[in-house]
Amino acid sequence: KRPEEVKREFVGQWLRKGAGDLKIARYLLGGSPDLSYGAAFHAQQAAEKLLKAVLVWHQIEFAKTHDIGRILDLVRTADPTLADRVRDSTALTPYGVAVRYPGDQPEPTREEARQAVAIAERVQEAVLQHLPDEFRSAAEKE
């Protein structure tokens, strides 16, 4: 395969993983019993993976991190406007690790989880607007 083709496939994989996490977050948010911590965790994971898709698209190397602020600093090198548009996604960082373990921080409320999912949805929209139309079309088909 040509390098451009491999890149497009890899970006698509990151986008699908992020979209999958967002679907899980929505599902957990609507369920009973209250699984707000899981919804918040998957919202963070969705935003993280969607932003990493942008880094892959621009061929910007990144470390394995759940720190959305660090990821956005790298996104900023490719597109400062995109980074500014989704800057509030840094609020999701604690949900990537801390909420998974007892005692590290209070579990998010259902409202906080709703806000986390809304932020992840805005990240998805911004990322799909940033990338070529073919990715938006593929996302709409799923």
Side-chain angles (χ1 to χ4, degrees):
K1 293 182 182 178
R2 296 176 325 192
E4 187 67 21
E5 205 176 330
V6 172
K7 179 176 90 166
R8 287 178 185 285
E9 286 178 9
F10 199 37
V11 168
Q13 291 170 8
W14 278 100
L15 292 172
R16 282 189 296 283
K17 289 282 190 179
D21 275 308
L22 191 51
K23 287 177 185 175
I24 293 167
R26 289 180 188 127
Y27 177 80
L28 292 175
L29 191 59
S32 183
D34 186 359
L35 297 173
S36 295
Y37 76 93
F41 168 74
H42 283 286
Q44 185 281 336
Q45 289 289 288
E48 176 184 325
K49 291 169 187 166
L50 293 161
L51 291 168
K52 286 179 177 177
V54 171
L55 298 178
V56 171
W57 178 254
H58 290 286
Q59 299 181 354
I60 298 170
E61 289 188 39
F62 54 91
K64 289 187 177 184
T65 182
H66 299 298
D67 185 335
I68 292 180
R70 287 180 58 194
I71 296 165
L72 283 176
D73 288 343
L74 294 172
V75 168
R76 178 173 295 289
T77 65
D79 187 340
T81 303
L82 173 61
D84 289 343
R85 255 180 93 188
V86 298
R87 180 51 81 188
D88 64 341
S89 63
T90 59
L92 301 177
T93 295
Y95 301 138
V97 178
V99 299
R100 296 188 314 176
Y101 304 103
D104 286 347
Q105 82 173 44
E107 288 198 12
T109 64
R110 189 174 289 268
E111 182 53 34
E112 289 168 332
R114 273 192 193 98
Q115 291 172 5
V117 170
I119 289 170
E121 289 171 338
R122 287 194 302 273
V123 169
Q124 183 181 47
E125 182 62 29
V127 165
L128 290 174
Q129 286 177 1
H130 172 81
L131 294 171
D133 288 341
E134 70 191 76
F135 294 109
R136 176 180 283 283
S137 298
E140 289 170 354
K141 289 178 186 173
E142 290 183 11

